[in-house]
Amino acid sequence: MIKIIDCGSQLTQNIARRVRELNVFTEIVPFHVFPDSLPRNLEGIIISGGQFSVYDNKSPHYSKNILDGRVPVLGICYGLQSIVHLLGGKVSPAENREYGQTSIGLSRIYNSPLFNDIIHSRIDVWMSHGDIVEELPDGFITTSRSVNNNHISSIENSHKKIYAVQFHPEVDHTNYGREILNNFLNICGAIRSWNPEKEYGTLVENTRERIKGKVGVGGISGGVDSSTASVLVGKIAGRSYHPIFVDNGLLRLDEGREVMKSLSTSGLDVDYVDASEIFLAKLKGISDPDKKRKIIGHEFIAVFEEEARKIQNASYLVQGTLYPDVIESVPIYGASSEIKRHHNVGGLPEKMELELVEPFRNMFKDEIRKIAEKKLGMPKEIVWRHPFPGPGLAIRIIGDITPEKLSVLRKADAIFMEELKKKDLYYEISQAFAVLTNTQSIGVMGDEGTYQGVIGLRAVTTNDFMTSDWYGFRKEDLTTISNRIINEVKGVNRVVYDISQKPPATIEWE
């Protein structure tokens, strides 16, 4: 067991995913509720980053007792600065802040166990900080510095088993990040026993006990989370479980039919509800993305509740809630909960007074995919389907939503996906989609001038969706996609490709 103290970083979940990938079970706890008495099975503690300075009035201050040497501690970014501050060192604002890719030089004098088996003295890491360490607490040594600014980038106190890095080993942009985390787990002597596939049997038995002899309903979006949860419960409960798929009119071309077909092959009898007219009427004239999300979420609850009432004696609700959803529902003030409004099926249990069944609430998406593919035998099209936001195409149309705009975007997006699959690129790319911008441009078709819409294309590669890079298409592939969209989709005369990374951009446009 490794506990991660969340100090408000949007990357805290990534730390947990990386530790679990290394077969060690971990849980995230808010900084303000971490107990002074440590659990018996605790092997180590990781302190996350956060957007605050240690001197801010609202900065997260956890109990100093965790730094008493009983278990090894790893501080990351703010975690490093908070350790220095709590133990009597000095942290100050930097003249030259460090954001993004930075090179650090490792000290070979001390041979830190945190950098064990890293043969290079200089490695590239990902930084995100405006404060720096000026004075170390007693008993600490510097084990690396940034090459350009000579800032302290890692420290340790081997006697107290405290290690800390200013950079983020949990992101893909940091070279040897996984090795550094693995070295910390070795320092902890952590037991490598976590395996989501081995947990499957326990998960099935626990779910069977909860729903035995009961009738239930479930919401399906077509994504891997809700689909896998419904397939699992369907195999356990049979005909007494009633999954409901609400078509909000904001799906991609033929998506409703494809989702129903895919789920039927997994043995599910899904109740299909076409509520597109209701949603589009509520969204008429709405341009603000946050308002779009609110409206869609509210209407989904209303439609789902009405449909669920038709199921006699329904007593439980199945949701595909994952561990990140659970974490983000905890009231920690932090960047992770402020970037954009969530669109999961939140609020349904309270409103409907149904017992909530969430088989995967302690797992991450990559762990669910292993279960879906290896244990449940679900179709590849569902298991490895690119992520699709709950509000659907509403947040891929910049501005207000109209049937005409939806038609244009659906056709453009379908051409994009068709070409990716034709060229065997779909599963090489982590997420791809088209966006209908609110811009029109001058063009020429034949001998006539045009003034038509602009389609934006987005394709990224990522392992964690916390950081991502744009996919490097061959020129001829992009040309084919662009030409097809312009020639086949009326109302479009220009196609652009988004080459921004995350951060500073997000993957979705709204």
Side-chain angles (χ1 to χ4, degrees):
M1 164 75 76
I2 299 290
K3 290 278 190 181
I4 300 172
I5 297 177
D6 187 1
C7 294
S9 172
Q10 60 178 299
L11 294 170
T12 302
Q13 297 173 23
N14 237 37
I15 303 171
R17 288 183 63 178
R18 293 291 171 261
V19 172
R20 288 193 184 185
E21 285 174 5
L22 294 165
N23 304 117
V24 176
F25 185 71
T26 184
E27 288 182 340
I28 297 172
V29 293
F31 72 92
H32 49 72
V33 300
F34 192 80
D36 290 339
S37 57
L38 304 181
R40 284 186 179 181
N41 63 340
L42 190 64
E43 297 168 309
I45 295 169
I46 299 177
I47 305 168
S48 84
Q51 79 271 42
F52 291 95
S53 166
V54 292
Y55 300 110
D56 289 343
N57 290 332
K58 292 185 177 180
S59 61
H61 291 297
Y62 47 85
S63 171
K64 186 178 175 181
N65 292 349
I66 71 168
L67 304 175
D68 61 8
R70 279 181 285 174
V71 295
V73 174
L74 173 64
I76 295 176
C77 195
Y78 175 88
L80 176 145
Q81 296 168 10
S82 61
I83 289 170
V84 169
H85 178 65
L86 281 172
L87 296 181
K90 183 179 180 182
V91 177
S92 303
E95 288 186 14
N96 298 313
R97 299 180 297 175
E98 292 176 320
Y99 290 94
Q101 205 81 27
T102 307
S103 293
I104 65 169
L106 305 182
S107 170
R108 291 307 182 188
I109 299 174
Y110 300 109
N111 292 319
S112 169
L114 201 62
F115 301 113
N116 190 39
D117 292 334
I118 297 177
I119 60 174
H120 299 97
S121 295
R122 177 170 170 167
I123 61 175
D124 290 335
V125 300
W126 193 71
M127 295 276 198
S128 182
H129 68 102
D131 287 353
I132 58 171
V133 174
E134 285 199 19
E135 296 178 12
L136 290 177
D138 290 341
F140 280 78
I141 59 172
T142 299
T143 55
S144 72
R145 288 181 177 269
S146 61
V147 172
N148 292 335
N149 297 309
N150 202 38
H151 295 163
I152 292 174
S153 54
S154 64
I155 63 174
E156 68 181 56
N157 182 326
S158 57
H159 176 69
K160 285 193 171 183
K161 298 180 287 188
I162 300 176
Y163 304 82
V165 295
Q166 185 61 73
F167 54 91
H168 290 270
E170 71 272 25
V171 302
D172 289 334
H173 286 46
T174 291
N175 291 342
Y176 299 104
R178 284 173 171 81
E179 287 82 354
I180 291 168
L181 290 173
N182 187 60
N183 285 336
F184 176 68
L185 297 178
N186 286 336
I187 292 169
C188 296
I191 297 173
R192 312 287 181 128
S193 60
W194 172 250
N195 184 334
E197 291 181 60
K198 289 182 179 178
E199 295 293 315
Y200 178 74
T202 302
L203 184 150
V204 169
E205 286 307 311
N206 290 343
T207 304
R208 179 177 284 115
E209 283 300 312
R210 290 194 63 188
I211 66 176
K212 185 188 299 182
K214 300 176 183 177
V215 175
V217 297
I220 290 183
S221 66
V224 65
D225 310 334
S226 62
S227 297
T228 306
S230 273
V231 170
L232 173 72
V233 174
K235 287 184 178 297
I236 296 171
R239 295 290 181 179
S240 63
Y241 173 60
H242 304 270
I244 300 170
F245 177 40
V246 176
D247 185 344
N248 57 15
L250 303 167
L251 303 176
R252 290 169 289 196
L253 190 66
D254 295 329
E255 188 163 26
R257 180 180 57 79
E258 291 172 2
V259 168
M260 294 291 289
K261 181 180 177 182
S262 295
L263 291 175
S264 67
T265 62
S266 297
L268 278 183
D269 183 14
V270 182
D271 181 9
Y272 174 81
V273 182
D274 184 357
S276 54
E277 291 186 8
I278 298 172
F279 280 84
L280 293 183
K282 294 287 184 179
L283 288 168
K284 187 174 182 180
I286 304 298
S287 298
D288 180 81
D290 197 43
K291 289 182 179 178
K292 292 178 187 177
R293 282 186 164 88
K294 287 180 180 177
I295 290 169
I296 293 166
H298 180 271
E299 287 308 308
F300 181 89
I301 291 172
V303 172
F304 188 93
E305 183 181 28
E306 182 179 348
E307 201 64 26
R309 282 201 195 101
K310 300 175 184 177
I311 310 300
Q312 291 186 355
N313 302 317
S315 62
Y316 67 87
L317 169 69
V318 174
Q319 288 194 137
T321 307
L322 301 186
Y323 193 41
D325 304 321
V326 176
I327 297 164
E328 291 172 0
S329 68
V330 177
I332 303 171
Y333 49 86
S336 61
S337 59
E338 295 177 355
I339 292 176
K340 65 185 179 184
R341 182 175 301 278
H342 290 288
H343 48 257
N344 292 337
V345 191
L348 278 175
E350 179 182 350
K351 189 177 180 66
M352 298 176 65
E353 297 182 351
L354 296 174
E355 179 187 359
L356 186 58
V357 175
E358 299 168 310
F360 306 129
R361 65 180 284 109
N362 292 317
M363 293 186 175
F364 288 98
K365 189 181 291 288
D366 51 337
E367 296 172 332
I368 300 311
R369 281 184 164 143
K370 289 179 182 178
I371 288 175
E373 188 173 39
K374 297 180 180 180
K375 296 295 184 180
L376 296 173
M378 292 174 61
K380 184 178 181 180
E381 294 75 19
I382 289 289
V383 177
W384 295 102
R385 178 176 179 253
H386 286 189
F388 188 58
L393 298 181
I395 58 168
R396 291 180 179 174
I397 293 176
I398 312 302
D400 64 328
I401 313 298
T402 67
E404 293 75 23
K405 289 181 180 179
L406 283 166
S407 177
V408 168
L409 181 56
R410 282 194 179 106
K411 292 174 183 176
D413 189 80
I415 291 170
F416 191 19
M417 295 306 107
E418 183 181 319
E419 287 297 323
L420 292 183
K421 291 173 182 177
K422 187 187 298 183
K423 300 175 189 302
D424 290 327
L425 297 175
Y426 183 84
Y427 296 110
E428 188 176 320
I429 294 168
S430 306
Q431 187 171 1
F433 55 90
V435 174
L436 180 59
T437 71
N438 56 353
T439 302
Q440 290 191 308
S441 69
I442 295 173
V444 58
M445 291 183 176
D447 295 324
E448 293 186 11
T450 61
Y451 190 61
Q452 294 181 341
V454 178
I455 287 287
L457 301 180
R458 183 80 158 132
V460 300
T461 56
T462 177
N463 290 319
D464 51 39
F465 290 91
M466 292 296 184
T467 60
S468 66
D469 203 355
W470 54 279
Y471 182 78
F473 283 103
R474 295 186 306 167
K475 180 178 182 294
E476 53 265 39
D477 290 338
L478 269 182
T479 300
T480 299
I481 294 165
S482 174
N483 286 344
R484 278 201 61 192
I485 291 173
I486 291 172
N487 289 330
E488 298 177 33
V489 183
K490 291 182 179 180
V492 175
N493 68 0
R494 193 178 298 265
V495 173
V496 298
Y497 184 48
D498 182 348
I499 61 169
S500 52
Q501 295 178 318
K502 176 185 179 180
T506 58
I507 295 176
E508 295 285 349
W509 278 36
E510 284 195 338

